[in-house]
Amino acid sequence: PGIVHRIDKDTSGLLVVAKTDAAHQALTEQMSVHSIHRVYHAVVYGNLKEDTGFVEAPIGRDPKDRKKMAVTQQNSKYAYTGWQVLERFGNFTYIACKLKTGRTHQIRVHMAYLGHPVAGDPVYGPQKPDLGLKGQCLHARLIGFVHPRDGRYLEFESPLPDYFARLLIKLEQL
């Protein structure tokens, strides 16, 4: 009956899809009260100064470019992204992001807002990235939720895609 958790076109990783209407309703409710546990991994440009942090800034359509989202007060919705540094590579930082909300392009917009866009992101990052990536380095790594029928907590993890893992190896060697 429907997709409960989706990801952006060039983001890799996990989705949640409901097989029944009842499951869809139960999972959508968990999403709306922010009880679905989601962790994304990303490589961002620059070196984040702190080891952990968060962005709590509203996201809406970019007033200057209707195809993009932006941190804005106009027609926006509350958005919260927490992040933690996993590894530093000089001009890049490997991070884990935890979401309380699920706005369109949320991690990409929030990290760009901080001045640390996602590596390989052609929309919110440098127009000509020099990393040789075919996609952005943003991966829906882990998702956890309560099973809609039997009440068990389930957690699923997805390994990094090859291009992402290769970039991390390349950055370690720099």
Side-chain angles (χ1 to χ4, degrees):
I3 295 175
V4 177
H5 170 260
R6 68 186 78 208
I7 54 179
D8 299 339
K9 177 181 149 200
D10 292 325
T11 299
S12 57
L14 298 166
L15 304 172
V16 176
V17 181
K19 288 173 65 175
T20 67
D21 286 334
H24 189 267
Q25 286 179 331
L27 291 167
T28 300
E29 174 63 19
Q30 287 182 57
M31 189 68 82
S32 71
V33 298
H34 313 298
S35 66
I36 291 184
H37 181 64
R38 294 170 291 160
V39 177
Y40 289 74
H41 282 198
V43 173
V44 297
Y45 287 96
N47 192 339
L48 290 158
K49 290 179 178 62
E50 304 295 326
D51 290 336
T52 62
F54 66 91
V55 183
E56 192 171 25
I59 293 178
R61 287 267 167 221
D62 187 325
K64 297 174 192 146
D65 183 348
R66 300 293 298 155
K67 294 180 182 176
K68 292 171 70 172
M69 304 303 283
V71 169
T72 179
Q73 297 299 321
Q74 298 177 325
N75 300 316
S76 59
K77 291 185 178 179
Y78 172 80
Y80 180 101
T81 304
W83 55 266
Q84 177 180 358
V85 171
L86 299 174
E87 198 165 349
R88 297 176 195 279
F89 302 106
N91 293 329
F92 296 91
T93 308
Y94 179 36
I95 62 173
C97 296
K98 291 185 182 178
L99 302 181
K100 282 189 183 175
T101 55
R103 307 293 173 225
T104 301
H105 302 174
Q106 180 174 322
I107 293 170
R108 298 164 62 199
V109 170
H110 274 170
M111 296 315 294
Y113 176 72
L114 291 179
H116 298 281
V118 173
D121 185 345
V123 177
Y124 302 101
Q127 294 304 307
K128 294 186 178 179
D130 55 354
L131 300 170
L133 295 170
K134 296 205 188 309
Q136 60 204 15
C137 284
L138 180 58
H139 180 70
R141 180 73 186 244
L142 184 140
I143 196 154
F145 54 88
V146 174
H147 190 282
R149 197 170 350 135
D150 65 23
R152 288 179 298 143
Y153 178 75
L154 303 173
E155 200 167 82
F156 302 92
E157 194 167 349
S158 172
L160 294 174
D162 289 343
Y163 76 90
F164 197 134
R166 280 195 304 271
L167 176 63
L168 291 175
I169 291 167
K170 181 179 176 180
L171 291 173
E172 284 175 351
Q173 295 170 349
L174 293 178

